[in-house]
mmCIF file of all heavy atoms in Angstrom:
data_model
loop_
_atom_site.group_PDB
_atom_site.id
_atom_site.type_symbol
_atom_site.label_atom_id
_atom_site.label_comp_id
_atom_site.label_asym_id
_atom_site.label_seq_id
_atom_site.Cartn_x
_atom_site.Cartn_y
_atom_site.Cartn_z
ATOM 1 N N ALA A 800 148.010 68.793 84.313
ATOM 2 C CA ALA A 800 148.176 69.697 83.174
ATOM 3 C C ALA A 800 148.077 71.159 83.601
ATOM 4 O O ALA A 800 148.857 72.006 83.152
ATOM 5 C CB ALA A 800 147.129 69.388 82.109
ATOM 6 N N SER A 801 147.116 71.474 84.476
ATOM 7 C CA SER A 801 146.912 72.858 84.914
ATOM 8 C C SER A 801 148.106 73.375 85.703
ATOM 9 O O SER A 801 148.535 74.525 85.534
ATOM 10 C CB SER A 801 145.652 72.961 85.771
ATOM 11 O OG SER A 801 144.504 72.724 84.994
ATOM 12 N N LYS A 802 148.648 72.545 86.573
ATOM 13 C CA LYS A 802 149.812 72.970 87.348
ATOM 14 C C LYS A 802 151.037 73.160 86.451
ATOM 15 O O LYS A 802 151.840 74.081 86.651
ATOM 16 C CB LYS A 802 150.100 71.948 88.448
ATOM 17 C CG LYS A 802 149.097 72.014 89.595
ATOM 18 C CD LYS A 802 149.498 71.131 90.764
ATOM 19 C CE LYS A 802 148.561 71.351 91.947
ATOM 20 N NZ LYS A 802 148.916 70.514 93.119
ATOM 21 N N GLU A 803 151.131 72.314 85.453
ATOM 22 C CA GLU A 803 152.243 72.436 84.498
ATOM 23 C C GLU A 803 152.198 73.774 83.773
ATOM 24 O O GLU A 803 153.230 74.403 83.521
ATOM 25 C CB GLU A 803 152.176 71.288 83.499
ATOM 26 C CG GLU A 803 153.280 71.274 82.467
ATOM 27 C CD GLU A 803 153.132 70.128 81.476
ATOM 28 O OE1 GLU A 803 152.682 69.031 81.891
ATOM 29 O OE2 GLU A 803 153.461 70.317 80.290
ATOM 30 N N GLY A 804 150.977 74.208 83.439
ATOM 31 C CA GLY A 804 150.833 75.458 82.699
ATOM 32 C C GLY A 804 150.597 76.676 83.562
ATOM 33 O O GLY A 804 150.502 77.796 83.045
ATOM 34 N N GLY A 805 150.485 76.493 84.883
ATOM 35 C CA GLY A 805 150.219 77.620 85.773
ATOM 36 C C GLY A 805 148.822 78.185 85.610
ATOM 37 O O GLY A 805 148.581 79.384 85.828
ATOM 38 N N LYS A 806 147.871 77.325 85.249
ATOM 39 C CA LYS A 806 146.504 77.746 84.987
ATOM 40 C C LYS A 806 145.532 77.128 85.995
ATOM 41 O O LYS A 806 145.870 76.194 86.719
ATOM 42 C CB LYS A 806 146.087 77.339 83.568
ATOM 43 C CG LYS A 806 146.940 77.936 82.465
ATOM 44 C CD LYS A 806 146.796 79.448 82.399
ATOM 45 C CE LYS A 806 147.571 80.025 81.220
ATOM 46 N NZ LYS A 806 147.416 81.505 81.142
ATOM 47 N N ILE A 807 144.316 77.659 86.009
ATOM 48 C CA ILE A 807 143.228 77.115 86.826
ATOM 49 C C ILE A 807 142.274 76.353 85.923
ATOM 50 O O ILE A 807 141.889 76.826 84.844
ATOM 51 C CB ILE A 807 142.443 78.236 87.541
ATOM 52 C CG1 ILE A 807 143.223 78.751 88.747
ATOM 53 C CG2 ILE A 807 141.063 77.740 88.001
ATOM 54 C CD1 ILE A 807 143.218 77.841 89.956
ATOM 55 N N SER A 808 141.881 75.168 86.354
ATOM 56 C CA SER A 808 140.809 74.432 85.679
ATOM 57 C C SER A 808 139.752 74.099 86.716
ATOM 58 O O SER A 808 140.066 73.814 87.881
ATOM 59 C CB SER A 808 141.344 73.141 85.048
ATOM 60 O OG SER A 808 142.050 72.371 86.008
ATOM 61 N N ILE A 809 138.496 74.166 86.304
ATOM 62 C CA ILE A 809 137.383 73.763 87.172
ATOM 63 C C ILE A 809 136.575 72.741 86.390
ATOM 64 O O ILE A 809 136.035 73.040 85.321
ATOM 65 C CB ILE A 809 136.498 74.946 87.588
ATOM 66 C CG1 ILE A 809 137.342 76.102 88.136
ATOM 67 C CG2 ILE A 809 135.490 74.492 88.644
ATOM 68 C CD1 ILE A 809 136.538 77.322 88.549
ATOM 69 N N ILE A 810 136.505 71.522 86.911
ATOM 70 C CA ILE A 810 135.862 70.435 86.175
ATOM 71 C C ILE A 810 134.515 70.071 86.797
ATOM 72 O O ILE A 810 134.213 70.401 87.944
ATOM 73 C CB ILE A 810 136.757 69.177 86.132
ATOM 74 C CG1 ILE A 810 136.993 68.615 87.541
ATOM 75 C CG2 ILE A 810 138.069 69.470 85.426
ATOM 76 C CD1 ILE A 810 137.486 67.181 87.570
ATOM 77 N N SER A 811 133.712 69.373 85.991
ATOM 78 C CA SER A 811 132.428 68.811 86.449
ATOM 79 C C SER A 811 131.517 69.894 87.006
ATOM 80 O O SER A 811 130.915 69.755 88.070
ATOM 81 C CB SER A 811 132.670 67.695 87.476
ATOM 82 O OG SER A 811 133.441 66.651 86.903
ATOM 83 N N VAL A 812 131.417 70.980 86.254
ATOM 84 C CA VAL A 812 130.573 72.117 86.624
ATOM 85 C C VAL A 812 129.234 71.997 85.914
ATOM 86 O O VAL A 812 129.177 71.773 84.710
ATOM 87 C CB VAL A 812 131.260 73.441 86.228
ATOM 88 C CG1 VAL A 812 130.306 74.612 86.399
ATOM 89 C CG2 VAL A 812 132.522 73.653 87.043
ATOM 90 N N GLY A 813 128.179 72.131 86.653
ATOM 91 C CA GLY A 813 126.824 72.059 86.107
ATOM 92 C C GLY A 813 125.863 71.925 87.268
ATOM 93 O O GLY A 813 126.153 72.363 88.378
ATOM 94 N N TRP A 814 124.727 71.299 87.022
ATOM 95 C CA TRP A 814 123.819 71.117 88.167
ATOM 96 C C TRP A 814 123.957 69.738 88.781
ATOM 97 O O TRP A 814 123.725 69.566 89.971
ATOM 98 C CB TRP A 814 122.380 71.475 87.806
ATOM 99 C CG TRP A 814 121.749 70.745 86.659
ATOM 100 C CD1 TRP A 814 121.812 71.075 85.346
ATOM 101 C CD2 TRP A 814 120.905 69.589 86.739
ATOM 102 N NE1 TRP A 814 121.079 70.180 84.594
ATOM 103 C CE2 TRP A 814 120.500 69.267 85.434
ATOM 104 C CE3 TRP A 814 120.433 68.800 87.804
ATOM 105 C CZ2 TRP A 814 119.665 68.190 85.148
ATOM 106 C CZ3 TRP A 814 119.602 67.734 87.518
ATOM 107 C CH2 TRP A 814 119.231 67.444 86.210
ATOM 108 N N ASP A 815 124.379 68.735 88.005
ATOM 109 C CA ASP A 815 124.794 67.468 88.598
ATOM 110 C C ASP A 815 125.669 66.707 87.615
ATOM 111 O O ASP A 815 125.145 66.219 86.600
ATOM 112 C CB ASP A 815 123.593 66.615 89.012
ATOM 113 C CG ASP A 815 123.995 65.541 90.011
ATOM 114 O OD1 ASP A 815 125.183 65.510 90.399
ATOM 115 O OD2 ASP A 815 123.138 64.751 90.419
ATOM 116 N N PRO A 816 126.960 66.609 87.901
ATOM 117 C CA PRO A 816 127.641 67.133 89.088
ATOM 118 C C PRO A 816 127.711 68.658 89.066
ATOM 119 O O PRO A 816 127.667 69.275 88.011
ATOM 120 C CB PRO A 816 129.038 66.520 88.981
ATOM 121 C CG PRO A 816 129.227 66.262 87.515
ATOM 122 C CD PRO A 816 127.871 65.885 86.992
ATOM 123 N N GLY A 817 127.816 69.228 90.270
ATOM 124 C CA GLY A 817 127.860 70.675 90.403
ATOM 125 C C GLY A 817 127.011 71.126 91.570
ATOM 126 O O GLY A 817 127.323 70.855 92.729
ATOM 127 N N MET A 818 125.888 71.809 91.276
ATOM 128 C CA MET A 818 125.034 72.329 92.330
ATOM 129 C C MET A 818 124.467 71.219 93.218
ATOM 130 O O MET A 818 124.366 71.366 94.438
ATOM 131 C CB MET A 818 123.885 73.147 91.722
ATOM 132 C CG MET A 818 124.328 74.390 90.965
ATOM 133 S SD MET A 818 125.138 75.621 92.018
ATOM 134 C CE MET A 818 126.863 75.198 91.779
ATOM 135 N N PHE A 819 124.093 70.105 92.602
ATOM 136 C CA PHE A 819 123.606 68.980 93.402
ATOM 137 C C PHE A 819 124.716 68.437 94.306
ATOM 138 O O PHE A 819 124.462 68.016 95.432
ATOM 139 C CB PHE A 819 123.080 67.863 92.490
ATOM 140 C CG PHE A 819 121.636 68.022 92.098
ATOM 141 C CD1 PHE A 819 120.981 69.231 92.216
ATOM 142 C CD2 PHE A 819 120.913 66.938 91.594
ATOM 143 C CE1 PHE A 819 119.643 69.373 91.855
ATOM 144 C CE2 PHE A 819 119.580 67.066 91.238
ATOM 145 C CZ PHE A 819 118.945 68.287 91.365
ATOM 146 N N SER A 820 125.939 68.452 93.818
ATOM 147 C CA SER A 820 127.061 67.958 94.608
ATOM 148 C C SER A 820 127.228 68.787 95.880
ATOM 149 O O SER A 820 127.446 68.249 96.974
ATOM 150 C CB SER A 820 128.354 68.017 93.791
ATOM 151 O OG SER A 820 128.190 67.429 92.527
ATOM 152 N N VAL A 821 127.149 70.108 95.739
ATOM 153 C CA VAL A 821 127.280 71.006 96.888
ATOM 154 C C VAL A 821 126.161 70.743 97.895
ATOM 155 O O VAL A 821 126.389 70.697 99.115
ATOM 156 C CB VAL A 821 127.262 72.475 96.428
ATOM 157 C CG1 VAL A 821 127.201 73.416 97.626
ATOM 158 C CG2 VAL A 821 128.491 72.776 95.576
ATOM 159 N N ASN A 822 124.951 70.540 97.399
ATOM 160 C CA ASN A 822 123.824 70.295 98.303
ATOM 161 C C ASN A 822 123.915 68.929 98.975
ATOM 162 O O ASN A 822 123.469 68.765 100.110
ATOM 163 C CB ASN A 822 122.506 70.465 97.546
ATOM 164 C CG ASN A 822 122.136 71.924 97.399
ATOM 165 O OD1 ASN A 822 121.550 72.512 98.295
ATOM 166 N ND2 ASN A 822 122.516 72.525 96.283
ATOM 167 N N ARG A 823 124.485 67.960 98.279
ATOM 168 C CA ARG A 823 124.731 66.669 98.933
ATOM 169 C C ARG A 823 125.708 66.844 100.101
ATOM 170 O O ARG A 823 125.525 66.269 101.178
ATOM 171 C CB ARG A 823 125.276 65.655 97.923
ATOM 172 C CG ARG A 823 124.213 65.076 96.996
ATOM 173 C CD ARG A 823 124.739 63.890 96.200
ATOM 174 N NE ARG A 823 125.606 64.302 95.103
ATOM 175 C CZ ARG A 823 125.205 64.511 93.856
ATOM 176 N NH1 ARG A 823 123.930 64.356 93.534
ATOM 177 N NH2 ARG A 823 126.059 64.850 92.905
ATOM 178 N N LEU A 824 126.741 67.660 99.878
ATOM 179 C CA LEU A 824 127.728 67.902 100.930
ATOM 180 C C LEU A 824 127.100 68.638 102.111
ATOM 181 O O LEU A 824 127.286 68.244 103.273
ATOM 182 C CB LEU A 824 128.898 68.711 100.367
ATOM 183 C CG LEU A 824 129.973 69.128 101.369
ATOM 184 C CD1 LEU A 824 130.637 67.903 102.002
ATOM 185 C CD2 LEU A 824 131.015 70.013 100.708
ATOM 186 N N TYR A 825 126.344 69.699 101.842
ATOM 187 C CA TYR A 825 125.701 70.441 102.926
ATOM 188 C C TYR A 825 124.773 69.541 103.744
ATOM 189 O O TYR A 825 124.761 69.578 104.972
ATOM 190 C CB TYR A 825 124.897 71.625 102.360
ATOM 191 C CG TYR A 825 125.722 72.829 101.986
ATOM 192 C CD1 TYR A 825 125.354 73.644 100.920
ATOM 193 C CD2 TYR A 825 126.868 73.161 102.699
ATOM 194 C CE1 TYR A 825 126.103 74.760 100.572
ATOM 195 C CE2 TYR A 825 127.626 74.279 102.363
ATOM 196 C CZ TYR A 825 127.239 75.076 101.296
ATOM 197 O OH TYR A 825 127.971 76.178 100.958
ATOM 198 N N GLY A 826 123.993 68.734 103.053
ATOM 199 C CA GLY A 826 123.074 67.847 103.760
ATOM 200 C C GLY A 826 123.804 66.867 104.655
ATOM 201 O O GLY A 826 123.396 66.602 105.796
ATOM 202 N N GLU A 827 124.911 66.344 104.157
ATOM 203 C CA GLU A 827 125.668 65.336 104.902
ATOM 204 C C GLU A 827 126.336 65.909 106.144
ATOM 205 O O GLU A 827 126.355 65.275 107.206
ATOM 206 C CB GLU A 827 126.710 64.733 103.967
ATOM 207 C CG GLU A 827 127.461 63.546 104.521
ATOM 208 C CD GLU A 827 128.373 62.920 103.476
ATOM 209 O OE1 GLU A 827 127.852 62.386 102.475
ATOM 210 O OE2 GLU A 827 129.607 63.000 103.657
ATOM 211 N N VAL A 828 126.892 67.118 106.029
ATOM 212 C CA VAL A 828 127.589 67.683 107.184
ATOM 213 C C VAL A 828 126.630 68.232 108.237
ATOM 214 O O VAL A 828 126.937 68.235 109.431
ATOM 215 C CB VAL A 828 128.595 68.784 106.761
ATOM 216 C CG1 VAL A 828 129.643 68.216 105.825
ATOM 217 C CG2 VAL A 828 127.893 69.972 106.113
ATOM 218 N N ILE A 829 125.450 68.676 107.811
ATOM 219 C CA ILE A 829 124.476 69.207 108.759
ATOM 220 C C ILE A 829 123.729 68.078 109.456
ATOM 221 O O ILE A 829 123.438 68.148 110.660
ATOM 222 C CB ILE A 829 123.486 70.144 108.031
ATOM 223 C CG1 ILE A 829 124.234 71.383 107.535
ATOM 224 C CG2 ILE A 829 122.341 70.556 108.949
ATOM 225 C CD1 ILE A 829 123.447 72.217 106.549
ATOM 226 N N LEU A 830 123.411 67.020 108.717
ATOM 227 C CA LEU A 830 122.716 65.857 109.279
ATOM 228 C C LEU A 830 123.600 64.624 109.086
ATOM 229 O O LEU A 830 123.365 63.813 108.186
ATOM 230 C CB LEU A 830 121.359 65.662 108.588
ATOM 231 C CG LEU A 830 120.327 66.776 108.792
ATOM 232 C CD1 LEU A 830 119.120 66.553 107.900
ATOM 233 C CD2 LEU A 830 119.898 66.849 110.254
ATOM 234 N N PRO A 831 124.638 64.471 109.926
ATOM 235 C CA PRO A 831 125.562 63.344 109.728
ATOM 236 C C PRO A 831 124.928 61.976 109.927
ATOM 237 O O PRO A 831 125.427 60.985 109.377
ATOM 238 C CB PRO A 831 126.654 63.600 110.770
ATOM 239 C CG PRO A 831 126.040 64.497 111.779
ATOM 240 C CD PRO A 831 125.048 65.338 111.039
ATOM 241 N N VAL A 832 123.845 61.911 110.682
ATOM 242 C CA VAL A 832 123.122 60.647 110.846
ATOM 243 C C VAL A 832 121.944 60.676 109.888
ATOM 244 O O VAL A 832 120.922 61.327 110.147
ATOM 245 C CB VAL A 832 122.638 60.450 112.295
ATOM 246 C CG1 VAL A 832 121.877 59.125 112.422
ATOM 247 C CG2 VAL A 832 123.808 60.474 113.271
ATOM 248 N N GLY A 833 122.084 60.005 108.752
ATOM 249 C CA GLY A 833 121.008 60.043 107.765
ATOM 250 C C GLY A 833 121.449 59.489 106.428
ATOM 251 O O GLY A 833 122.500 58.849 106.316
ATOM 252 N N SER A 834 120.655 59.742 105.414
ATOM 253 C CA SER A 834 120.931 59.234 104.067
ATOM 254 C C SER A 834 120.646 60.323 103.043
ATOM 255 O O SER A 834 119.754 61.156 103.228
ATOM 256 C CB SER A 834 120.058 58.009 103.756
ATOM 257 O OG SER A 834 120.309 56.968 104.682
ATOM 258 N N THR A 835 121.420 60.301 101.956
ATOM 259 C CA THR A 835 121.243 61.260 100.870
ATOM 260 C C THR A 835 120.705 60.537 99.643
ATOM 261 O O THR A 835 121.161 59.441 99.304
ATOM 262 C CB THR A 835 122.574 61.936 100.513
ATOM 263 O OG1 THR A 835 123.071 62.623 101.665
ATOM 264 C CG2 THR A 835 122.386 62.937 99.382
ATOM 265 N N TYR A 836 119.747 61.161 98.982
ATOM 266 C CA TYR A 836 119.131 60.590 97.785
ATOM 267 C C TYR A 836 119.120 61.645 96.690
ATOM 268 O O TYR A 836 118.796 62.809 96.936
ATOM 269 C CB TYR A 836 117.703 60.147 98.070
ATOM 270 C CG TYR A 836 117.577 59.162 99.203
ATOM 271 C CD1 TYR A 836 117.425 59.613 100.522
ATOM 272 C CD2 TYR A 836 117.604 57.785 98.971
ATOM 273 C CE1 TYR A 836 117.310 58.709 101.570
ATOM 274 C CE2 TYR A 836 117.489 56.882 100.020
ATOM 275 C CZ TYR A 836 117.344 57.345 101.314
ATOM 276 O OH TYR A 836 117.229 56.455 102.357
ATOM 277 N N THR A 837 119.462 61.223 95.480
ATOM 278 C CA THR A 837 119.388 62.103 94.322
ATOM 279 C C THR A 837 118.489 61.482 93.274
ATOM 280 O O THR A 837 118.655 60.317 92.901
ATOM 281 C CB THR A 837 120.787 62.340 93.720
ATOM 282 O OG1 THR A 837 121.667 62.857 94.726
ATOM 283 C CG2 THR A 837 120.710 63.344 92.576
ATOM 284 N N PHE A 838 117.518 62.265 92.840
ATOM 285 C CA PHE A 838 116.623 61.831 91.765
ATOM 286 C C PHE A 838 116.740 62.835 90.615
ATOM 287 O O PHE A 838 116.713 64.044 90.839
ATOM 288 C CB PHE A 838 115.170 61.791 92.247
ATOM 289 C CG PHE A 838 114.879 60.699 93.241
ATOM 290 C CD1 PHE A 838 115.056 60.921 94.601
ATOM 291 C CD2 PHE A 838 114.438 59.454 92.810
ATOM 292 C CE1 PHE A 838 114.790 59.914 95.525
ATOM 293 C CE2 PHE A 838 114.172 58.445 93.727
ATOM 294 C CZ PHE A 838 114.350 58.680 95.089
ATOM 295 N N TRP A 839 116.870 62.314 89.404
ATOM 296 C CA TRP A 839 116.963 63.168 88.220
ATOM 297 C C TRP A 839 115.718 62.983 87.355
ATOM 298 O O TRP A 839 115.240 61.869 87.167
ATOM 299 C CB TRP A 839 118.189 62.798 87.384
ATOM 300 C CG TRP A 839 119.479 62.855 88.130
ATOM 301 C CD1 TRP A 839 120.198 63.970 88.459
ATOM 302 C CD2 TRP A 839 120.233 61.746 88.634
ATOM 303 N NE1 TRP A 839 121.339 63.627 89.128
ATOM 304 C CE2 TRP A 839 121.388 62.261 89.260
ATOM 305 C CE3 TRP A 839 120.039 60.366 88.627
ATOM 306 C CZ2 TRP A 839 122.340 61.456 89.855
ATOM 307 C CZ3 TRP A 839 120.991 59.558 89.223
ATOM 308 C CH2 TRP A 839 122.131 60.100 89.835
ATOM 309 N N GLY A 840 115.251 64.087 86.802
ATOM 310 C CA GLY A 840 114.174 63.986 85.827
ATOM 311 C C GLY A 840 112.799 64.281 86.411
ATOM 312 O O GLY A 840 112.677 64.681 87.548
ATOM 313 N N LYS A 841 111.796 64.061 85.569
ATOM 314 C CA LYS A 841 111.887 63.557 84.217
ATOM 315 C C LYS A 841 112.512 64.610 83.312
ATOM 316 O O LYS A 841 112.108 65.765 83.332
ATOM 317 C CB LYS A 841 110.495 63.172 83.694
ATOM 318 C CG LYS A 841 110.503 62.673 82.277
ATOM 319 C CD LYS A 841 109.089 62.349 81.772
ATOM 320 C CE LYS A 841 109.142 61.866 80.322
ATOM 321 N NZ LYS A 841 107.788 61.553 79.804
ATOM 322 N N GLY A 842 113.496 64.170 82.517
ATOM 323 C CA GLY A 842 114.106 65.117 81.621
ATOM 324 C C GLY A 842 115.105 64.467 80.695
ATOM 325 O O GLY A 842 115.470 63.299 80.847
ATOM 326 N N ILE A 843 115.538 65.260 79.717
ATOM 327 C CA ILE A 843 116.492 64.777 78.720
ATOM 328 C C ILE A 843 117.906 65.005 79.229
ATOM 329 O O ILE A 843 118.271 66.126 79.590
ATOM 330 C CB ILE A 843 116.282 65.495 77.374
ATOM 331 C CG1 ILE A 843 114.942 65.060 76.765
ATOM 332 C CG2 ILE A 843 117.427 65.204 76.413
ATOM 333 C CD1 ILE A 843 114.578 65.789 75.492
ATOM 334 N N SER A 844 118.675 63.944 79.271
ATOM 335 C CA SER A 844 120.073 64.030 79.683
ATOM 336 C C SER A 844 120.943 64.290 78.462
ATOM 337 O O SER A 844 120.948 63.498 77.517
ATOM 338 C CB SER A 844 120.512 62.733 80.365
ATOM 339 O OG SER A 844 121.910 62.707 80.507
ATOM 340 N N GLN A 845 121.697 65.401 78.496
ATOM 341 C CA GLN A 845 122.588 65.709 77.371
ATOM 342 C C GLN A 845 123.689 64.666 77.241
ATOM 343 O O GLN A 845 124.003 64.206 76.143
ATOM 344 C CB GLN A 845 123.222 67.089 77.585
ATOM 345 C CG GLN A 845 122.231 68.228 77.586
ATOM 346 C CD GLN A 845 122.906 69.543 77.925
ATOM 347 O OE1 GLN A 845 123.315 70.281 77.039
ATOM 348 N NE2 GLN A 845 123.036 69.845 79.200
#
């Protein structure tokens, strides 16, 4: 849709997905031998 209209769209922006996603990527490329874990909360999920 964005290419059809000549527009930019940015999806899945927030802290997860979003900021946490970027940090998962940084962790993986810096320490390729290892494991990534994500924990959420305690908190209310919108």
Side-chain angles (χ1 to χ4, degrees):
S801 292
K802 286 188 173 180
E803 181 182 324
K806 300 295 184 179
I807 283 285
S808 53
I809 310 179
I810 63 162
S811 300
V812 171
W814 57 273
D815 198 3
M818 297 296 95
F819 273 18
S820 310
V821 172
N822 280 276
R823 283 191 284 266
L824 176 61
Y825 281 147
E827 188 174 295
V828 300
I829 294 167
L830 295 172
V832 180
S834 300
T835 300
Y836 303 88
T837 304
F838 291 88
W839 304 282
K841 178 182 179 180
I843 291 175
S844 168
Q845 296 175 94

